[in-house]
Structures are given as C-alpha cells and as structure tokens.
Amino acid sequence: MELTTPHSLERVALMAEAKSHGQLFCATGGSHVTSDNFFKAMEVPIRKKQIKEMEEDKKRRQYFAKCLLEGQAVLDQNKSDNQFSSLELEKILLMHHVPKKDMGSKRDKLQMWMDIKATMKPPPIFSPWDEKDEAKLDDLRKMQIKLEDTALGRQTTIEQLKVNASINKMDLNELSALEEK
C-alpha cells in the first residue's frame, strides 16, 4: 500500500526529506520513483533555502522601514540637536543604519548625528517590502514545483535555445538535409 500518491506534493516532500532507501521505500510504498518526482524532490531544499533568505530579507527591510519612520518622526519635531533625548538620537541614528553597538552614550550619539548632519548624508536607500515580494514568498511557500522549475527543466530550456540558435545559423541546404534525417 502506498503512503502517498504519485506526483503529489506530499510524496515530493517526503522524498526530499528521505535520507535512506528505506525512507524512500516508505514514502512511495515501494512503488516506482518517477524522475519527475525525483527532480521535484531535489528542488525542495533549494526552495526552503530561498524561503529562509526571503524571510530574513523581509524582516530586515521591514526593520529599515520602521527605523526610517521613527527617525523621521523625531526630526519632524523641529527640536534643536541638544534637545533630543538619547532615545530620539538613537532613532535618528538607526534611520541612518548606525548599529546600536556603535552608538555609546548620549554624547557619542549626538556627535554621530552632528557628523551625519554636517555631511548632509541622507539615510541609506532601501527597497521596502511590498505586495509583489509577499506574493513571491507565498508562491515559494506553496511548494508547487513544476518540472520546468527543476534542474532538468532548466537544462532542457538551455538545450532548446542551443538548437534554435543552431537552426537559425543554417543555410537552406543544411536545413533540407536536417529535414531528411
């Protein structure tokens, strides 16, 4: 009796986690392992790595957006530099991507802010996390892997491009000879 059905997401997931032949046997119920399932299973760890990287990027970009809003809110108060509290200076410095560990005391923070202000350096530009990024992350999480998304699919595309390039360079005699074969 098969534990999973052929070509299912569950089978691909179990095959991706299998570390031994016995685990593969259990995942397939001893039935034939198709190359489609095998190539899709090999893509699962790659997808998991992409998901982890995107989640880290999302967290980082959302943090930068928060720091920018908080820092700008402090600057919008139109206080003189000496009137800023240590926490307000920290928000301004975080907006400029200064690590907390480098900030030190209020005096150090004020000096860092004065240096940034003197150079008229704007906060670093970053791309905010948007709906398009979220949709891409959601698609990766679904693990709907098509054969075209696997190493085999990518190699097939490359080979097709090579064939097309070769055919485009052939003259009429070479094309007719190719048709006869």
Side-chain angles (χ1 to χ4, degrees):
M1 180 174 141
E2 293 184 22
L3 181 62
T4 58
T5 57
H7 309 293
S8 67
L9 182 60
E10 293 80 17
R11 177 172 283 192
V12 171
L14 282 174
M15 287 176 64
E17 298 295 323
K19 303 286 187 239
S20 67
H21 290 292
Q23 289 174 332
L24 273 176
F25 184 88
C26 287
T28 63
S31 70
H32 179 67
V33 177
T34 66
S35 61
D36 290 7
N37 283 343
F38 176 76
F39 282 108
K40 289 178 181 181
M42 294 299 104
E43 195 68 22
V44 170
I46 295 168
R47 290 277 178 104
K48 286 183 178 180
K49 182 180 176 197
Q50 289 173 335
I51 290 167
K52 183 179 178 192
E53 289 169 356
M54 281 193 76
E55 286 172 342
E56 289 170 359
D57 186 45
K58 175 183 179 178
K59 193 175 183 180
R60 183 182 57 82
R61 287 163 56 185
Q62 287 177 333
Y63 175 73
F64 288 156
K66 175 183 164 263
C67 290
L68 181 64
L69 288 173
E70 289 177 353
Q72 197 58 52
V74 170
L75 291 176
D76 288 345
Q77 294 174 9
N78 293 322
K79 289 182 178 179
S80 70
D81 295 331
N82 291 327
Q83 291 179 318
F84 289 131
S85 70
S86 181
L87 182 61
E88 290 171 326
L89 287 167
E90 185 175 304
K91 288 179 181 182
I92 293 169
L93 293 174
L94 286 173
M95 176 176 76
H96 286 274
H97 298 191
V98 176
K100 280 186 180 182
K101 64 179 173 80
D102 297 343
M103 290 186 193
S105 67
K106 180 181 177 183
R107 183 180 307 150
D108 296 334
K109 292 175 188 176
L110 182 59
Q111 185 58 50
M112 286 181 193
W113 167 234
M114 298 300 277
D115 293 343
I116 290 170
K117 194 173 172 183
T119 61
M120 300 172 81
K121 183 180 173 187
I125 297 174
F126 66 94
S127 166
W129 188 260
D130 60 16
E131 292 165 5
K132 216 163 62 169
D133 296 318
E134 191 64 35
K136 184 177 179 183
L137 181 57
D138 286 342
D139 283 346
L140 285 174
R141 285 181 180 144
K142 290 177 187 171
M143 290 286 180
Q144 296 295 325
I145 302 170
K146 299 179 197 150
L147 196 56
E148 301 86 51
D149 300 331
T150 66
L152 177 65
R154 290 186 290 273
Q155 189 61 40
T156 301
T157 301
I158 290 169
E159 295 302 322
Q160 288 172 341
L161 291 171
K162 286 180 184 179
V163 168
N164 287 340
S166 296
I167 289 174
N168 289 337
K169 291 182 180 181
M170 290 183 181
D171 62 23
L172 290 175
N173 293 332
E174 291 172 323
L175 284 173
S176 60
L178 183 63
E179 285 179 10
E180 290 175 8
K181 292 182 180 181

